[in-house]
């Protein structure tokens, strides 16, 4: 492992500089132990953080690795939604003049991420990176628009978005910001105005701003953060929200107010380390300012359009880093949506109620 090798080299150099110790210890045993412990503590104290809300299951980024890399694949679904009163309901999908149709939602995600830290001091670091995400969404049903277009509406499995971010970190606290470029295709319709597929994304770019923390202690860690996604309007795809809230220029008039659309993402979690494994759980609340609407005025999988909603979930995770490998393997009980992770449902209103979700991944440069 790269970080273990660097620790070994550092410890070795310290030992060779003081072979006999400085307190009468002829064989230098006390000095060797003290120096080795100091070298390990240096690496732990100087660990550099990625955006914790996105990468908590990967482990705590290591200062010994200037380059961090991860790749993951996940799948999940939902067959219920929370209505505006917080009650679980079967989702329905509208299309043209046909309204209704019980539906089931299934999604797949694949992502690859890279971070480089060009500036790194003992108590402060700056990193830049990017995440490329691929997606496939499928809605299946037996009535409503499916009665004329088939029993399934699906997107291709292709690129959903790319996010470029930068972060500034202390030992525990950090801030980050990024821009998410939407690369999903527009939804297509037949000559009758009925959808023949669904999009992989909401076809809108977004700005990400966030703060986070990751506090390491002996045997466990506590982490959390708050992210804000400011979703920029696309008047070509969503003309009604643009006309009502932002005007024809396509820019939000009020990026944080009620007139714009966006997502708040709150995360708080903890992990317990045992030998070369870590098991933990993250609690998350996702609050949406306003659900997007499609060209036919239908809400997102049966939710009510043009008002907000929230979903709270739990995402357990397990990370394993075998001593013989320079990488960590992890599995997380949740699936990355476009802006957030949906785990095991707790409660919500005007949002999806996920039934299951699993994400498997491999990361390098995390400890």
């Amino acid at each position: 492992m790269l970080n273990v090798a660097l620790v070994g080299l550092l410890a070795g150099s310290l030992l060779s500089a003081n072979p006999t110790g400085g307190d009468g210890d002829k064989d230098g045993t006390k000095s060797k132990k003290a120096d080795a412990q100091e070298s390990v503590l240096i690496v732990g104290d100087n660990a550099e953080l990625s955006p914790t809300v996105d990468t908590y299951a990967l482990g705590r980024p290591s200062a010994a690795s200037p380059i961090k890399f991860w790749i993951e694949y996940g799948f999940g679904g939902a067959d219920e939604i929370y209505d505006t009163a917080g009650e679980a309901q079967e989702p329905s999908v509208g299309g043209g003049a046909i309204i209704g149709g019980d539906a089931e939602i299934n999604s797949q995600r694949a992502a690859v991420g890279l971070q480089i830290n060009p500036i790194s001091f003992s108590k402060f670091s700056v990193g830049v990176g990017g995440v490329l995400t691929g997606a496939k969404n499928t809605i299946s049903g037996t009535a409503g628009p499916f009665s004329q277009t088939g029993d399934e509406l699906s997107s291709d499995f292709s690129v959903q978005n790319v996010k470029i971010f930068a972060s500034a970190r202390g030992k525990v606290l950090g801030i980050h910001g990024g821009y998410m470029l939407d690369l999903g295709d527009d939804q297509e319709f037949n000559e009758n105005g009925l959808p023949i597929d669904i999009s992989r994304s909401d076809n809108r770019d977004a700005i990400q701003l966030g703060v986070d923390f990751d506090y390491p202690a002996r045997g466990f860690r506590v982490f959390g953060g708050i992210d804000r996604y400011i979703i920029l309007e696309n008047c070509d795809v969503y003309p009604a929200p643009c006309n009502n809230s932002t005007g024809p220029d396509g820019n939000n008039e009020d990026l944080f107010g009620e007139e714009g659309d966006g997502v708040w993402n709150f995360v708080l979690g903890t992990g317990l380390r045992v030998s070369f494994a870590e098991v933990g759980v993250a609690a998350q609340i996702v609050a949406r300012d306003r659900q997007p609407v499609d060209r036919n005025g239908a809400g997102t999988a049966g939710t009510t359009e043009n008002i907000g909603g929230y979903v709270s979930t739990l995402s357990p995770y397990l990370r394993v880093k075998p001593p013989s490998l320079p990488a960590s393997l992890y599995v997380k009980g949740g699936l990355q949506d476009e802006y957030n992770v949906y785990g095991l449902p707790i409660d919500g209103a005007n949002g999806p109620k996920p039934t299951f979700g699993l994400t498997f991944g491999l990361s390098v440069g995390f400890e």
Side-chain angles (χ1 to χ4, degrees), residues 6-19:
L6 292 176
V7 171
L9 289 174
L10 178 58
S13 63
L14 291 173
L15 293 174
S16 62
N18 190 13

Side-chain angles (χ1 to χ4, degrees), residues 84-243:
T84 55
E87 299 293 331
Q89 304 287 343
E90 293 185 349
S92 61
V93 179
I98 302 176
I99 303 298
D102 295 338
E104 180 178 350
I105 306 164
N106 290 283
S107 298
Q108 300 179 60
R109 297 290 185 271
V112 56
L114 177 69
Q115 178 180 334
I116 300 174
N117 288 55
I119 300 176
S120 181
F121 301 107
S122 61
K123 296 182 179 181
F124 178 78
S125 65
V126 175
V128 294
V131 181
L132 177 68
T133 301
K136 178 182 176 117
N137 295 322
T138 301
I139 299 179
S140 57
T142 58
F146 307 109
S147 62
Q148 295 190 25
T149 60
D151 61 358
E152 182 178 281
L153 298 174
S154 179
S155 68
D156 295 330
F157 200 144
S158 187
V159 177
Q160 181 189 58
N161 58 61
V162 59
K163 179 169 67 175
I164 305 299
F165 66 86
S167 61
R169 310 276 142 201
K171 289 185 177 181
V172 175
L173 299 176
I175 61 173
H176 56 269
Y179 190 89
M180 179 181 289
L181 179 64
D182 194 296
L183 299 175
D185 296 331
D186 292 346
Q187 188 176 19
E188 295 184 0
F189 300 84
N190 62 20
E191 62 276 8
N192 298 320
L194 295 174
I196 61 176
D197 65 2
I198 58 174
S199 177
R200 295 184 298 275
S201 68
D202 63 5
N203 301 119
R204 296 187 286 179
D205 295 351
I207 299 171
Q208 179 189 16
L209 301 171
V211 296
D212 55 50
F213 73 93
D214 194 339
Y215 179 78
R218 186 176 298 275
F220 71 96
R221 59 192 279 237
V222 180
F223 56 85
I226 302 174
D227 268 10
R228 171 65 172 175
Y229 281 95
I230 303 165
I231 304 175
L232 305 180
E233 300 295 355
N234 183 339
C235 294
D236 293 333
V237 178
Y238 302 103
C242 280
N243 292 338

Side-chain angles (χ1 to χ4, degrees), residues 6-365:
L6 292 176
V7 171
L9 289 174
L10 178 58
S13 63
L14 291 173
L15 293 174
S16 62
N18 190 13
T20 61
D23 58 356
D25 181 20
K26 295 182 179 180
D27 60 3
T29 301
K30 294 180 180 179
S31 297
K32 292 178 182 178
K33 291 181 178 179
D35 290 340
Q37 291 173 355
E38 181 181 358
S39 65
V40 172
L41 289 174
I42 287 174
V43 172
D45 287 345
N46 290 350
E48 300 161 352
L49 304 179
S50 299
T52 305
V53 173
D54 295 334
T55 62
Y56 61 83
L58 282 63
R60 183 174 166 85
S62 171
S65 300
I67 298 178
K68 283 80 175 169
F69 171 82
W70 62 94
I71 184 171
E72 63 183 28
Y73 169 79
F75 58 89
D79 56 15
E80 290 183 319
I81 64 165
Y82 293 109
D83 62 19
T84 55
E87 299 293 331
Q89 304 287 343
E90 293 185 349
S92 61
V93 179
I98 302 176
I99 303 298
D102 295 338
E104 180 178 350
I105 306 164
N106 290 283
S107 298
Q108 300 179 60
R109 297 290 185 271
V112 56
L114 177 69
Q115 178 180 334
I116 300 174
N117 288 55
I119 300 176
S120 181
F121 301 107
S122 61
K123 296 182 179 181
F124 178 78
S125 65
V126 175
V128 294
V131 181
L132 177 68
T133 301
K136 178 182 176 117
N137 295 322
T138 301
I139 299 179
S140 57
T142 58
F146 307 109
S147 62
Q148 295 190 25
T149 60
D151 61 358
E152 182 178 281
L153 298 174
S154 179
S155 68
D156 295 330
F157 200 144
S158 187
V159 177
Q160 181 189 58
N161 58 61
V162 59
K163 179 169 67 175
I164 305 299
F165 66 86
S167 61
R169 310 276 142 201
K171 289 185 177 181
V172 175
L173 299 176
I175 61 173
H176 56 269
Y179 190 89
M180 179 181 289
L181 179 64
D182 194 296
L183 299 175
D185 296 331
D186 292 346
Q187 188 176 19
E188 295 184 0
F189 300 84
N190 62 20
E191 62 276 8
N192 298 320
L194 295 174
I196 61 176
D197 65 2
I198 58 174
S199 177
R200 295 184 298 275
S201 68
D202 63 5
N203 301 119
R204 296 187 286 179
D205 295 351
I207 299 171
Q208 179 189 16
L209 301 171
V211 296
D212 55 50
F213 73 93
D214 194 339
Y215 179 78
R218 186 176 298 275
F220 71 96
R221 59 192 279 237
V222 180
F223 56 85
I226 302 174
D227 268 10
R228 171 65 172 175
Y229 281 95
I230 303 165
I231 304 175
L232 305 180
E233 300 295 355
N234 183 339
C235 294
D236 293 333
V237 178
Y238 302 103
C242 280
N243 292 338
N244 293 333
S245 64
T246 63
D249 58 357
N251 296 318
N252 292 53
E253 292 178 357
D254 185 354
L255 295 180
F256 287 89
E258 296 180 356
E259 294 183 355
D261 192 12
V263 173
W264 288 100
N265 192 9
F266 304 89
V267 175
L268 180 63
T270 184
L272 176 65
R273 294 189 294 271
V274 180
S275 184
F276 55 84
E278 176 180 329
V279 59
V281 62
Q284 180 172 260
I285 299 176
V286 178
R288 184 70 180 258
D289 296 342
R290 189 189 74 231
Q291 296 287 344
V293 296
D294 63 28
R295 298 174 187 175
N296 292 309
T300 301
T303 55
T304 302
E305 65 269 19
N306 289 328
I307 65 171
Y310 79 94
V311 177
S312 58
T313 63
L314 288 177
S315 294
Y317 70 91
L318 171 66
R319 182 180 66 89
V320 178
K321 187 173 184 180
S324 59
L325 293 179
S328 298
L329 302 174
Y330 61 92
V331 58
K332 177 170 56 178
L335 179 68
Q336 178 71 39
D337 193 18
E338 193 164 0
Y339 305 106
N340 54 271
V341 171
Y342 285 116
L344 302 175
I346 300 176
D347 69 350
N350 200 35
K353 181 182 179 182
T355 53
F356 71 95
L358 284 175
T359 299
F360 303 88
L362 178 147
S363 63
V364 176

